[in-house]
Short mmCIF file of all heavy atoms in Angstrom, two decimals:
data_model
loop_
_atom_site.label_atom_id
_atom_site.label_comp_id
_atom_site.label_asym_id
_atom_site.label_seq_id
_atom_site.Cartn_x
_atom_site.Cartn_y
_atom_site.Cartn_z
N GLY A 20 13.61 -9.94 7.53
CA GLY A 20 12.69 -11.05 7.90
C GLY A 20 12.31 -11.84 6.70
O GLY A 20 12.78 -11.64 5.56
N LEU A 35 -9.81 -0.67 0.88
CA LEU A 35 -10.38 -0.49 -0.39
C LEU A 35 -11.78 -0.87 -0.37
O LEU A 35 -12.68 -0.25 -1.07
CB LEU A 35 -9.57 -1.43 -1.40
CG LEU A 35 -8.21 -0.95 -1.73
CD1 LEU A 35 -7.54 -2.01 -2.54
CD2 LEU A 35 -8.21 0.33 -2.52
N TYR A 77 10.70 0.22 -1.74
CA TYR A 77 11.83 1.03 -2.22
C TYR A 77 13.03 0.80 -1.33
O TYR A 77 14.25 0.94 -1.84
CB TYR A 77 11.53 2.50 -2.24
CG TYR A 77 10.43 2.82 -3.22
CD1 TYR A 77 9.27 3.64 -2.81
CD2 TYR A 77 10.33 2.26 -4.51
CE1 TYR A 77 8.34 3.94 -3.72
CE2 TYR A 77 9.31 2.51 -5.35
CZ TYR A 77 8.32 3.36 -4.99
OH TYR A 77 7.25 3.61 -5.83
N THR A 87 20.06 4.34 -7.51
CA THR A 87 19.61 4.40 -8.91
C THR A 87 18.38 3.55 -9.11
O THR A 87 17.38 3.91 -9.70
CB THR A 87 20.77 3.87 -9.89
OG1 THR A 87 21.86 4.67 -9.67
CG2 THR A 87 20.30 3.93 -11.29
N ILE A 90 15.28 5.42 -7.43
CA ILE A 90 14.76 6.54 -8.29
C ILE A 90 13.98 5.91 -9.44
O ILE A 90 12.98 6.47 -9.86
CB ILE A 90 15.92 7.46 -8.63
CG1 ILE A 90 16.57 8.15 -7.47
CG2 ILE A 90 15.44 8.47 -9.72
CD1 ILE A 90 17.82 8.91 -7.72
N LEU A 106 -6.76 7.84 -17.03
CA LEU A 106 -7.69 6.88 -17.58
C LEU A 106 -8.98 6.82 -16.72
O LEU A 106 -10.05 6.68 -17.31
CB LEU A 106 -7.08 5.50 -17.71
CG LEU A 106 -5.93 5.34 -18.77
CD1 LEU A 106 -5.36 3.96 -18.74
CD2 LEU A 106 -6.42 5.67 -20.11
N GLY A 119 -26.49 10.19 -18.76
CA GLY A 119 -27.31 11.39 -19.08
C GLY A 119 -26.89 12.55 -18.28
O GLY A 119 -27.58 13.64 -18.40
N VAL A 138 -9.93 22.25 -21.73
CA VAL A 138 -9.30 23.01 -20.55
C VAL A 138 -9.25 22.09 -19.26
O VAL A 138 -8.25 22.03 -18.64
CB VAL A 138 -10.09 24.30 -20.27
CG1 VAL A 138 -9.59 24.98 -19.08
CG2 VAL A 138 -10.03 25.16 -21.45
N LEU A 172 16.62 10.74 3.69
CA LEU A 172 16.61 11.51 4.92
C LEU A 172 16.21 10.59 6.16
O LEU A 172 16.79 10.66 7.17
CB LEU A 172 15.58 12.66 4.86
CG LEU A 172 15.93 13.86 3.86
CD1 LEU A 172 14.83 14.78 3.77
CD2 LEU A 172 17.15 14.58 4.50
N GLY A 195 -2.65 27.84 6.83
CA GLY A 195 -3.52 27.46 5.79
C GLY A 195 -2.88 27.08 4.44
O GLY A 195 -3.42 27.28 3.39
N VAL A 234 4.87 1.49 22.40
CA VAL A 234 3.46 1.37 21.79
C VAL A 234 2.75 0.11 22.37
O VAL A 234 1.59 0.20 22.40
CB VAL A 234 3.78 1.19 20.24
CG1 VAL A 234 2.46 0.75 19.55
CG2 VAL A 234 4.28 2.38 19.59
N LEU A 247 -10.61 6.04 22.12
CA LEU A 247 -11.53 5.40 21.14
C LEU A 247 -12.87 5.33 21.78
O LEU A 247 -13.88 5.52 21.03
CB LEU A 247 -11.07 3.98 20.86
CG LEU A 247 -9.70 3.84 20.04
CD1 LEU A 247 -9.23 2.47 19.83
CD2 LEU A 247 -9.96 4.51 18.63
N CYS A 328 -9.15 1.72 -8.61
CA CYS A 328 -9.83 2.34 -9.80
C CYS A 328 -11.19 1.54 -10.05
O CYS A 328 -12.13 2.28 -10.33
CB CYS A 328 -8.91 2.21 -10.99
SG CYS A 328 -7.34 3.20 -10.89
N ALA A 340 -27.51 2.68 -10.07
CA ALA A 340 -28.50 1.68 -9.76
C ALA A 340 -29.45 2.08 -8.68
O ALA A 340 -30.66 1.79 -8.81
CB ALA A 340 -27.77 0.33 -9.38
N LEU A 369 -6.42 -10.98 -11.61
CA LEU A 369 -5.14 -10.23 -11.81
C LEU A 369 -3.96 -11.08 -11.21
O LEU A 369 -2.86 -11.06 -11.81
CB LEU A 369 -5.24 -8.82 -11.05
CG LEU A 369 -6.05 -7.81 -11.71
CD1 LEU A 369 -6.19 -6.53 -10.79
CD2 LEU A 369 -5.41 -7.35 -12.99
N GLN A 378 1.43 -15.48 -3.60
CA GLN A 378 1.93 -15.88 -2.22
C GLN A 378 0.71 -16.33 -1.36
O GLN A 378 -0.25 -15.46 -1.22
CB GLN A 378 2.72 -14.70 -1.62
CG GLN A 378 3.09 -14.87 -0.24
CD GLN A 378 3.93 -13.70 0.26
OE1 GLN A 378 4.73 -13.16 -0.48
NE2 GLN A 378 3.82 -13.34 1.49
N LEU A 397 28.56 -21.33 -13.11
CA LEU A 397 29.09 -22.45 -12.34
C LEU A 397 30.55 -22.63 -12.75
O LEU A 397 30.78 -23.04 -13.98
CB LEU A 397 28.33 -23.73 -12.34
CG LEU A 397 28.94 -24.94 -11.59
CD1 LEU A 397 28.93 -24.62 -10.10
CD2 LEU A 397 28.05 -26.16 -11.87
N ASN A 400 36.93 -25.75 -10.49
CA ASN A 400 38.45 -25.71 -10.60
C ASN A 400 38.88 -27.20 -10.52
O ASN A 400 38.87 -27.78 -9.50
CB ASN A 400 38.95 -24.94 -9.33
CG ASN A 400 40.45 -24.67 -9.49
OD1 ASN A 400 41.18 -25.57 -9.91
ND2 ASN A 400 40.84 -23.45 -9.11
N PRO A 431 15.87 -16.16 -18.30
CA PRO A 431 15.41 -15.25 -17.22
C PRO A 431 14.22 -15.74 -16.50
O PRO A 431 13.27 -16.31 -17.10
CB PRO A 431 15.01 -13.98 -18.02
CG PRO A 431 15.82 -14.11 -19.29
CD PRO A 431 15.91 -15.53 -19.60
#
Side-chain angles (χ1 to χ4, degrees):
L35 290 170
Y77 296 135
T87 303
I90 295 173
L106 293 177
V138 176
L172 292 171
V234 171
L247 290 176
C328 295
L369 287 172
Q378 174 176 321
L397 179 63
N400 191 319

